[in-house]
Amino acid sequence: MQNILELKNIGYSYHSLQGETKALENISFGVAEGEFVAVAGPSGCGKSTLLSIISGLIEPETGTIAVNNPDGSLHYPRVGYMLQRDHLFEWRTIYKNVILGLEINHMMTRERLAYVDQLLFDYGLDKFREKRPSELSGGMKQRAALIRTLALDPQLLLLDEPFSALDYQTRLMVSADICRLIRNTGKTVIMITHDLSEAISLSDRVILLSKRPAVVKVQMPIQLTLADDSPLAARNAPEFQYYFNQLWEELNSEGKEM
Ligand code: ADP
Ligand code: MG
């Protein structure tokens, strides 16, 4: 499969009165259409910076991002962003929350609204349309946040530690649930996480970044025998421990090299 995005030698530094903070150095990797890529690395290494560059929010200082759409067109893929917190507004009903992006972007067409209705139905939120976010469980709120993101029909989904605000057990359930729903859409996904287990159990490939300034330490394609059952079952797959140990060693080999 051809890569729809190709990052080459991306570098970025923050500049302030105190000096320069080098966040990214020489980051190169490709992302294939429909692939679910996890980018993992220690806190503060530059993961969110990388995602902001991929989303187009900030310009890289060095390097390029090439686009190869399957249809040969050159436009940058439409990007949908999901962040750590669900960012639902308490003063709006669930329905008003999920159509917010359409409202802001003046895209309230009949097709889009019908798609939102379909998603609300498919994701079991139909009965909660008129409820407020505080009346929903953490898992349902994440589903609502996902619908709001999908409503704009993004081609590329960027997830920045989308589950890290949830407590551990909720996170196991919700991350498995949301990632299953995302996979069913067939969309291309780049998910940031600092949790190696989450990266391995949910993705097709883990790209491990070093501590700051982030460079790509290793890229590891993931094949888990139990992945078809659920990401939770995947954690019991015999290969899981192998991947975890490999990545863990890479992550902790840093200090010794310097
Ligand atoms: P991560 O998402 O991996 O935790 P970030 O990409 O948010 O890391 O940040 C990488 C580094 O850049 C950190 O050391 C952080 O303090 C610094 N940084 C992030 N944003 C800014 C900013 N706006 N100005 C200056 N430094 C920043
Ligand atoms: Mg971050």
Side-chain angles (χ1 to χ4, degrees):
M1 205 181 284
Q2 88 165 349
N3 287 334
I4 59 163
L5 281 189
E6 197 73 55
L7 281 69
K8 283 209 183 79
N9 308 117
I10 298 289
Y12 192 83
S13 306
Y14 290 101
H15 300 274
S16 68
L17 289 176
Q18 285 72 42
E20 185 186 69
T21 308
K22 205 169 186 37
L24 305 171
E25 197 164 71
N26 254 326
I27 305 273
S28 301
F29 62 85
V31 181
E33 200 202 358
E35 197 182 12
F36 195 125
V37 175
V39 177
S43 283
C45 78
K47 301 183 296 297
S48 294
T49 305
L50 180 62
L51 216 58
S52 297
I53 287 174
I54 296 172
S55 76
L57 281 175
I58 58 177
E59 286 258 330
E61 210 165 46
T62 63
T64 54
I65 302 181
V67 180
N68 309 295
N69 291 311
D71 62 2
S73 65
L74 290 174
H75 73 84
Y76 202 81
R78 274 194 308 284
V79 169
Y81 227 116
M82 259 179 91
L83 301 162
Q84 235 174 60
R85 292 178 193 282
D86 51 57
H87 287 293
L88 298 172
F89 294 114
E90 189 56 28
W91 46 271
R92 291 194 140 215
T93 63
I94 290 303
Y95 184 68
K96 288 278 185 191
N97 265 290
V98 296
I99 63 167
L100 183 63
L102 294 178
E103 222 176 277
I104 291 172
N105 291 289
H106 306 288
M107 285 165 60
M108 300 249 280
T109 60
R110 230 182 32 209
E111 290 80 14
R112 301 261 177 195
L113 292 173
Y115 181 50
V116 165
D117 281 341
Q118 185 64 46
L119 287 173
L120 283 167
F121 188 79
D122 291 347
Y123 293 2
L125 288 178
D126 201 40
K127 296 190 296 284
F128 300 92
R129 298 164 80 95
E130 300 310 318
K131 300 269 190 246
R132 302 282 162 169
S134 60
E135 297 176 87
L136 270 61
S137 68
M140 289 197 289
K141 280 193 280 203
Q142 287 286 340
R143 283 181 168 213
L146 178 61
I147 295 175
R148 187 182 51 194
T149 308
L150 292 176
L152 294 158
D153 194 26
Q155 293 157 306
L156 175 64
L157 277 178
L158 303 179
L159 314 178
D160 194 352
E161 310 214 22
F163 313 115
S164 58
L166 303 168
D167 65 78
Y168 182 68
Q169 280 169 51
T170 311
R171 184 163 117 211
L172 284 182
M173 302 305 293
V174 172
S175 62
D177 174 58
I178 294 294
C179 288
R180 181 180 56 82
L181 297 177
I182 289 176
R183 277 194 184 270
N184 288 340
T185 68
K187 298 208 184 273
T188 310
V189 184
I190 303 176
M191 179 183 78
I192 300 281
T193 177
H194 62 259
D195 181 335
L196 289 182
S197 302
E198 192 169 279
I200 298 164
S201 64
L202 301 176
S203 75
D204 299 321
R205 178 160 49 113
V206 177
I207 297 174
L208 184 68
L209 302 180
S210 68
K211 60 182 187 241
R212 193 171 60 76
V215 298
V216 175
K217 289 222 80 171
V218 66
Q219 301 200 40
M220 192 166 285
I222 305 290
Q223 289 269 334
L224 296 169
T225 36
L226 297 171
D228 289 343
D229 300 339
S230 82
L232 274 183
R235 291 178 187 240
N236 294 319
E239 308 86 4
F240 185 90
Q241 203 59 44
Y242 166 80
Y243 290 131
F244 187 89
N245 291 338
Q246 293 283 312
L247 291 168
W248 183 256
E249 240 168 64
E250 282 291 343
L251 199 59
N252 291 296
S253 68
E254 297 215 314
K256 292 171 216 152
E257 284 169 15
M258 308 276 169

